[in-house]
Amino acid sequence: MTRECLPGAPGLPAGRMDARASAARRRAAALVSDERLLVGPLKGYHHETYAFPLPAGDGSGRQTWWKCRDPRAGLLWFDLRAFASERELVRALQGSITRIPAVIEREEVSLYTFVEGRTLGEVCPPGQPLSARHSGQLGVLFGELVSVRPESVLASAGWVAGGHPAGWKDDSAAFLAQLIDFTDVHIYQRHLPRYHALFRDLGIPGGALDGLREATRALVPRPSALLHGDLHRENFIVDGRDDLWTIDWELAVVGDPLYDLATHLHLMGYPADQESRITGIWRRAVEGARPGSSEGWEADLPVLRAYKRAQSVYTDVIRTALALGELTAEQRLRQLARPVRRIEGALAAARRTLGLTREPSADSVAAAYARWFKDAAPTLTAPAP
């Protein structure tokens, strides 16, 4: 039995809980006989997660792996969300989505089935095509998503604070406009006092999303559907039978089904011929499940992908600043190369969308961050959401 997707640190010795341990870790430790059985925290931005085995409950002596997830305190969300409770959403989707984790309650703690296997990123790294089996299962997922009645899961999981997404009533233009507004107002403008010099030095002008707003008006209406919102390689687990499971539903929304395809293509790094193949699989799946779901896709997919490229710039610029801010100056210098390349790539990909006037380079990106850390004297913790 392998648990390749459990890259966590071992637990502390049983009975010796560190006083500095988080509430999430203490809650998980209370469920196991020996804290050394805990694995985690597992890698993840939105939650602090621990995995551990528990008796199966059927007297067989078998062990079943579960995970306990707590939202990270003070988290800065970079994506619009629809659902108040991921746990209740996952509950509501049982029987509607194939191969999704189950949720149980154990001593007033919600536990998710831990899918044993490897992430799709390990099985099929970026640049490699999906197997025919996994492509087919991805198509099943796309079809199941548009088959779910949004009002039924919204009734179970509840709206996130701030109201429902504008685009859940078959208005693709309103949905994308709300996504753009979220990125502009809640990510860019809200943090501009702190990051103004950094955005300026990276060549990102104010009002950079205005052109994208104009293009949004021409989107074709498509029937709104449940969207996972984050279908990348680390949110798929390949089990021992070579089946694909879909995990981490915290960014699920209700809106234009084409957005799930645009997000998936943006995040997966497919070769060009695989992109075309996956797009065809998506079209057949959503049209078979709900006719009209792919209407106008050829003209509209580039607009949605342009938004994803622009969103990545704002997200990566701020996330990189926060991550580097947790390091000492010496550590930052040693670890700067990889995030600088990521920012350089994001800026290059979104250059036309954001109206950037100069070609980004790794040196200019590194210099912009160096000046910002030197001159801005930033607070090194994220602002409250």
Side-chain angles (χ1 to χ4, degrees), residues 187-235:
I187 304 303
Y188 176 65
Q189 294 184 32
R190 178 185 165 200
H191 298 93
L192 196 56
R194 184 178 177 190
Y195 296 106
H196 170 73
L198 182 56
F199 281 111
R200 180 201 64 211
D201 288 353
L202 291 171
I204 303 167
L209 294 172
D210 291 347
L212 197 54
R213 281 196 180 90
E214 187 66 29
T216 296
R217 298 174 185 173
L219 291 187
V220 172
R222 283 171 286 274
S224 293
L226 173 69
L227 316 178
H228 179 280
D230 200 24
L231 292 174
H232 59 74
R233 294 174 193 269
E234 302 309 305
N235 281 344

Side-chain angles (χ1 to χ4, degrees), residues 209-272:
L209 294 172
D210 291 347
L212 197 54
R213 281 196 180 90
E214 187 66 29
T216 296
R217 298 174 185 173
L219 291 187
V220 172
R222 283 171 286 274
S224 293
L226 173 69
L227 316 178
H228 179 280
D230 200 24
L231 292 174
H232 59 74
R233 294 174 193 269
E234 302 309 305
N235 281 344
F236 291 111
I237 302 297
V238 181
D239 69 12
R241 297 182 178 181
D242 200 32
D243 285 331
L244 210 58
W245 291 69
T246 310
I247 63 171
D248 291 1
W249 292 76
E250 62 266 351
L251 299 186
V253 292
V254 174
D256 182 359
L258 188 59
Y259 179 70
D260 245 359
L261 175 64
T263 301
H264 181 68
L265 297 179
H266 176 74
L267 295 173
M268 289 292 285
Y270 287 126

Side-chain angles (χ1 to χ4, degrees), residues 111-125:
L111 303 181
Y112 294 75
T113 312
F114 187 88
V115 182
E116 295 188 40
R118 296 186 293 166
T119 68
L120 184 60
E122 294 173 292
V123 174
C124 179

Side-chain angles (χ1 to χ4, degrees), residues 27 30 44 49 60 83 88-90 117 125 130 181 190 195 200 216 231 235 240 252 259 276 288 308 344 355-356:
R27 234 185 323 271
T49 304
S60 65
F83 299 99
E88 295 306 324
L89 172 63
V90 172
L130 292 189
D181 285 345
R190 178 185 165 200
Y195 296 106
R200 180 201 64 211
T216 296
L231 292 174
N235 281 344
Y259 179 70
S276 177
K308 294 305 298 183
E344 179 190 15
L356 307 186

Side-chain angles (χ1 to χ4, degrees), residues 327-371:
L327 307 177
T328 66
E330 184 179 341
Q331 290 172 328
R332 197 179 302 140
L333 190 61
R334 288 200 306 268
Q335 299 183 30
L336 193 59
R338 185 173 180 181
V340 160
R341 287 195 300 272
R342 185 172 62 248
I343 298 293
E344 179 190 15
L347 288 168
R351 183 181 178 187
R352 179 174 297 182
T353 300
L354 296 178
L356 307 186
T357 58
R358 65 176 185 264
E359 187 74 29
S361 70
D363 287 344
S364 65
V365 172
Y369 275 96
R371 282 192 297 272

